[in-house]
Amino acid sequence: MNIPKVDTWFFEKAEFHHPSVLSIKLVEGVKSNEREMVLSDTGTPIGPYFPVKVLETSRSLRVIFNEVVSFHIIDESYSSPTEKIRYYP
């Protein structure tokens, strides 16, 4: 399989089809030509960076895994709102 070279691939969704097929959909992220400042969750400006965005013209692809025995998904997103983070002593 030849996967097209792009700036970034973003995970869009996973689907499990009984009894043993896992389908992963990825969507193309396109790097902007213009730099932008980004605000951190504390309001501190960082950057400037070239943002990567999903556009209407972005390509997508699906990766199929057959005969899947098990899988798990962990949300490691850095975009979660701070108020959802809980600290335990």
Side-chain angles (χ1 to χ4, degrees):
M1 170 170 67
N2 293 325
I3 298 176
K5 183 168 174 52
V6 299
D7 292 318
T8 303
W9 285 109
F10 290 112
F11 170 84
E12 186 165 286
K13 72 176 169 179
E15 296 177 311
F16 183 72
H17 304 280
H18 185 75
S20 62
V21 177
L22 178 63
S23 169
I24 304 292
K25 184 175 180 187
L26 304 175
V27 65
E28 175 186 18
V30 179
K31 181 179 161 187
S32 173
N33 292 326
E34 297 180 23
R35 291 178 177 245
E36 291 181 19
M37 293 299 289
V38 177
L39 287 180
S40 70
D41 61 346
T42 62
T44 305
I46 55 176
Y49 295 104
F50 291 101
V52 178
K53 300 179 181 180
V54 175
L55 307 175
E56 285 187 27
T57 57
S58 291
R59 296 173 285 181
S60 64
L61 61 88
R62 189 172 304 273
V63 181
I64 305 292
F65 298 92
N66 293 305
E67 300 180 32
V68 172
V69 175
S70 70
F71 71 94
H72 67 271
I73 296 173
I74 299 172
D75 181 2
E76 295 181 346
S77 174
Y78 292 114
S79 63
S80 298
T82 305
E83 56 271 10
K84 288 188 177 181
I85 299 175
R86 295 184 184 181
Y87 298 96
Y88 297 97

